Amino acid sequence: MAVSAWTPNRALRRSPFKTPPLRLPGQSLDERISELQDTFMQDAIITVFLILLAGLEWVRWWVPMPPNPFPSTTLAVAAIIYTWRKRFHFVAMIRNLRLGRDGERVVGELLEPLRGKGYRVFHDIPGANFNIDHAIVGPAGIFMIETKTRSKLTGGSHKMFYDGQAIRLEDGRSFQQPLKQARAQAQWLANLLNDGRRTTFTVRPVVVFPEWYVERTRPRSKQDVWVLNPKALDGFLDHEPQVLSTDAIDAVSHALTQHCRRPITEGSDE
């Protein structure tokens, strides 16, 4: 997932993005589809309610009974309380999902210029019960990129530190989960690409934090996972030696393309 919510005080937080990401191809159609689906669901709920109401009236007509509003009122009040409490959870989930979506789009835009340097760029690579945000394949190798979009405290620091073992904020809190996730996903991608091949490919895990300054406290050579602002990735790649030939880049890109076009069955071994 591309969202990171490490600070509980939501009221003092803001989106890290000064400029929203560009719109995607077909985004207007996608938004229209969502609107139509929402409208249909609303109409379907009303229809089901009217069917139940009509059924109740037929029961009362068939088996005469005096009106008793208490059971239905109790259920209605319980439903109102349940829906109202759940609303806050859904609003928070949608807010986080939108923040993560915008982060992935911003990183996707920053990766596109790498195509001019011979890299192939892939987005939203599906797994069985997860997805890899981005992957690039080029002269410097194969890189799995996990986007972590973290909102910022109003007036607070926008710096984090990375020593190769944990990510630390200036207030002293440290986190390792993004690193573990990146390592696991990079290994999964390597297993996918190496399945049935004589050549063994390695995948470098990368975690990027859009709009955050990441200070490295240990040499990059001592870090198996890169943690950086996505704008710095281009410079990192320029300092890497060439390890993949054009034929290897083509072969890996073809395998990733075929995987992304194939439907993934939930719970499969992939």
Side-chain angles (χ1 to χ4, degrees), residues 1 28 45 61 106-107 147 169-170 199 223 225 238 254 259:
M1 171 56 68
S28 295
I45 291 173
W61 177 81
V106 166
V107 173
T147 299
L169 302 181
E170 287 192 310
T199 304
Q223 301 171 356
V225 181
D238 287 343
H254 176 74
H259 173 78

Side-chain angles (χ1 to χ4, degrees), residues 121 191 193 212 255 269:
V121 182
N191 293 339
L193 296 175
W212 281 80
D269 294 333

